[in-house]
Amino acid sequence: MARFVVIGGSGRIGSGIVRELSAGGHDVSAASRRTGVDTVTGEGLARALAGADVVIDSARPPSSYGDDEVFEFFTTSTANLLAAGTAEGVGHHVTVTTVGTTRRHGIPYYEAKTAQESLVRESGLPYSLVHATQFFEFAGTIAEVSTVDSQVRLPGALTRPIAASDVAKAVARVAVGPPLDGDIEIAGPERFGLDEFVRRVLAARHDPRTVVRDDDAPYFGAVIEEGTLLPVEGARLFETRLDDWLRRTGG
Ligand SMILES: NC(=O)c1ccc[n+]([C@@H]2O[C@H](COP(=O)([O-])OP(=O)(O)OC[C@H]3O[C@@H](n4cnc5c(N)ncnc54)[C@H](OP(=O)(O)O)[C@@H]3O)[C@@H](O)[C@H]2O)c1
């Protein structure tokens, strides 16, 4: 039976991937610092990947990191994972990444993801890059970084946000299939301006901040265009609608 290792398997997406694969009867283990595996220092990595057929990388740096640290995290962690995977003869390396990284964007976090993607493409390992749009669960973080004097200022740039549970489903499906040696984009069923997306989530949480549309406001450090965050034509669309998710979870 194929053996799956989910790096960042305790995280929001990683834990969902572990659940999906376990429910499908697969042999899967979660690895991250809390299980003694640090992809940045390399500690525990060879042991974690021993006998692995498929490695899924869903690690993310701590949110306190600055732009340079984020870049360093994704490049070092990915290079270490790819080297360990090559040594182990891994047959499929799957990376969770972001929609928009293949466009011109100027967003420092996305530059780091683009560098991560290039390392994977050039590694020689069979791979799949799964690009997801903004997770519903990420709306609070978007609001936090976009708050100025208790007002959330966000551009009306369009996105198709997606539930984290749908991302986990999509990544697990890709992981059990043959390597794409390419990219797939996944997104939610509805299109919103970033301002409207965050406004709906904050309203459901009874958050008192108002959300103001400001097309000149930066999104994670860059002023973006209306289509920067939209998935490509032919992206795989998932079913969970924002209002249904809000009713179920309260945001
Ligand atoms: N947020 C979004 O809307 C969005 C959209 C598209 C794509 N993505 C991508 O989706 C991926 C997963 O995001 P997420 O929200 O699920 O992240 P998350 O909940 O913050 O989880 C991050 C995981 O990485 C692990 N980790 C951190 N440092 C590590 C290290 N040095 N070595 C090994 N593991 C480490 C953490 O576990 P420990 O603390 O135990 O190490 C945790 O399991 C990221 O690549 C992100 O860029 C996010």
Side-chain angles (χ1 to χ4, degrees):
M1 178 158 56
R3 176 157 188 266
F4 295 76
V5 177
V6 182
I7 305 291
S10 59
R12 191 185 281 140
I13 297 303
S15 58
I17 299 169
V18 170
R19 263 196 308 278
E20 289 289 331
L21 289 171
S22 303
H26 298 283
D27 172 5
V28 54
S29 53
S32 72
R33 290 170 302 176
R34 74 194 70 179
T35 67
V37 180
D38 190 323
T39 53
V40 174
T41 63
E43 186 194 340
L45 202 47
R47 178 177 43 80
L49 262 54
D53 300 292
V54 182
V55 171
I56 301 157
D57 182 7
S58 188
R60 199 180 73 135
S63 48
S64 58
Y65 275 21
D67 295 342
D68 292 346
E69 289 168 301
V70 168
F71 192 91
E72 185 63 29
F73 175 93
F74 277 120
T75 49
T76 306
S77 167
T78 304
N80 286 341
L81 260 181
L82 292 167
T86 303
E88 194 54 43
V90 162
H92 191 182
H93 182 98
V94 182
T95 301
V96 184
T97 187
T98 314
V99 161
T101 52
T102 54
R103 302 210 172 84
R104 250 194 31 195
H105 49 71
I107 303 168
Y109 187 89
Y110 285 22
E111 306 286 2
K113 296 297 282 180
T114 305
Q116 177 186 37
E117 293 163 14
S118 300
L119 289 170
V120 173
R121 285 195 187 94
E122 290 155 15
S123 66
L125 278 177
Y127 72 91
S128 301
L129 292 167
V130 184
H131 298 253
T133 51
Q134 283 65 35
F135 310 155
F136 293 164
E137 290 82 351
F138 194 52
T141 306
I142 299 175
E144 258 160 55
V145 303
S146 309
T147 299
V148 183
D149 296 335
S150 74
Q151 252 190 3
V152 181
R153 303 192 75 84
L154 278 168
L158 296 167
T159 177
R160 278 184 174 274
I162 184 169
S165 55
D166 284 344
V167 177
K169 248 184 242 167
V171 176
R173 267 183 219 165
V174 169
V176 299
L180 302 172
D181 286 330
D183 304 45
I184 182 172
E185 298 204 357
I186 60 169
E190 306 161 293
R191 233 160 72 144
F192 299 102
L194 273 175
D195 60 323
E196 179 61 14
F197 164 45
V198 171
R199 189 176 296 117
R200 287 192 190 208
V201 176
L202 293 193
R205 290 179 180 183
H206 307 292
D207 187 309
R209 286 174 290 180
T210 45
V211 181
V212 176
R213 176 173 172 167
D214 175 357
D215 289 343
D216 294 324
Y219 177 71
F220 287 93
V223 175
I224 57 174
E225 288 170 17
E226 189 180 49
T228 303
L229 304 178
L230 279 177
V232 291
E233 264 316 285
R236 193 110 130 245
L237 302 185
F238 278 74
E239 48 284 335
T240 309
R241 302 171 74 84
L242 181 60
D243 283 347
D244 293 337
W245 178 81
L246 287 171
R247 260 194 299 278
R248 207 173 58 237
T249 66

